[in-house]
Amino acid sequence: MTVAGIEYLVCDINEVRETQSAHPWLASLLSPAEVKRSDRLRHASDRIAYRCAHLVLRLVAARRLGADVRSAGDLEFTRCCRSCGGPHGKPQVTDAEISLSRSGTMVLVGSAPPSSPIGVDIEGLPSEVFPGFDDYVLAPGERTSACTNPDRRRLELWVAKEAALKTTGHGLSVEPNKLEVVRTEVVRTSEETSSLDGSGAWASSIRAPDYPDIDGLNLASVPCRPSHAAALSCVDQLPVTPLTLSDLLIE
């Protein structure tokens, strides 16, 4: 099946492992390069998480492209850093927009039509933020905003800006404090089947007048565990649909 809007999946690595146990053939979908990269990681938990996250990436991309789930292993992904040209950064696959983020055991993957660049980010709520966080991450207007849970608000702003910077491929070559998250008018479409923020709205956008390709990117929060925050950014305000692992295994 091919999809017109945006789809995303947020899940725990343990859910992916359980799915693999029920469908052992899934392990064969990873490329030799992905297996090799995972083997370089020092900790077994990181090796497992890397493989599970990239398996989900392949399955979401296959669904986006209307490919048979068992052919997900044939997809060719490339990465090219916008800043240095190195083989890292946002994953790319022909005829689809795709974005991946992982924090601890949580993974988030989003997909969109090739004409609608997207970025996703998920992060766990830290026990404390690093020194200088506000200066590095927050725009001047965001530092003075009052809220009941400032640590939560900091995290939500961080993931929103990370998602936006992944959308364009800038990454942290642009300091997050150069971007400001602003509320936007609620926009709905009759085709929306689900939402990211409970209302079907793209509730925020990025203000970054010095970076025209980042300025105006649309933002929405992604429902996830209370211990995490997640966000989705896209050039367009497309309908958004959450997925389950079972959705990805439909043949």
Side-chain angles (χ1 to χ4, degrees), residues 104-127:
T105 65
M106 297 300 294
V107 61
L108 169 61
V109 177
S111 75
S115 59
S116 299
I118 63 165
V120 301
D121 193 59
I122 186 168
E123 300 288 345
L125 185 65
S127 56

Side-chain angles (χ1 to χ4, degrees), residues 75-92:
L75 298 178
E76 294 187 10
F77 291 90
T78 59
R79 294 175 185 261
C80 182
C81 177
R82 177 171 179 158
S83 299
C84 71
H88 52 89
K90 184 178 180 179
Q92 298 175 321

Side-chain angles (χ1 to χ4, degrees), residues 51-187:
R51 294 190 184 198
C52 288
H54 284 76
L55 173 59
V56 173
L57 177 72
R58 286 186 168 276
L59 294 175
V60 170
R63 176 183 170 89
R64 166 63 53 183
L65 296 169
D68 183 271
V69 64
R70 292 180 181 267
S71 69
D74 298 329
L75 298 178
E76 294 187 10
F77 291 90
T78 59
R79 294 175 185 261
C80 182
C81 177
R82 177 171 179 158
S83 299
C84 71
H88 52 89
K90 184 178 180 179
Q92 298 175 321
V93 65
T94 302
D95 294 329
E97 266 289 316
I98 198 84
S99 185
L100 164 68
S101 180
R102 180 176 68 85
S103 177
T105 65
M106 297 300 294
V107 61
L108 169 61
V109 177
S111 75
S115 59
S116 299
I118 63 165
V120 301
D121 193 59
I122 186 168
E123 300 288 345
L125 185 65
S127 56
E128 60 181 4
V129 298
F130 59 80
F133 179 94
D134 286 3
D135 290 337
Y136 179 63
V137 175
L138 304 184
E142 294 166 341
R143 299 178 204 179
T144 59
S145 298
C147 63
T148 57
N149 190 339
D151 289 340
R152 181 77 191 178
R153 178 59 177 162
R154 285 186 177 98
L155 183 62
E156 290 172 347
L157 289 169
W158 172 262
V159 296
K161 295 182 181 188
E162 279 266 46
L165 292 170
K166 289 181 179 181
T167 300
T168 60
H170 279 91
L172 293 178
S173 66
V174 174
E175 294 185 2
N177 61 22
K178 305 299 183 184
L179 282 57
E180 184 177 5
V181 176
V182 296
R183 295 288 296 180
T184 55
E185 182 180 354
V186 173
V187 178

Side-chain angles (χ1 to χ4, degrees), residues 183-189 192 197-204 237:
R183 295 288 296 180
T184 55
E185 182 180 354
V186 173
V187 178
R188 294 184 177 88
T189 72
E192 284 174 334
D197 66 352
S199 67
W202 292 88
S204 303
Q237 294 186 347

Side-chain angles (χ1 to χ4, degrees), residues 191-208:
E191 296 178 355
E192 284 174 334
T193 57
S194 63
S195 69
L196 290 174
D197 66 352
S199 67
W202 292 88
S204 303
S205 65
I206 291 290
R207 179 183 294 153

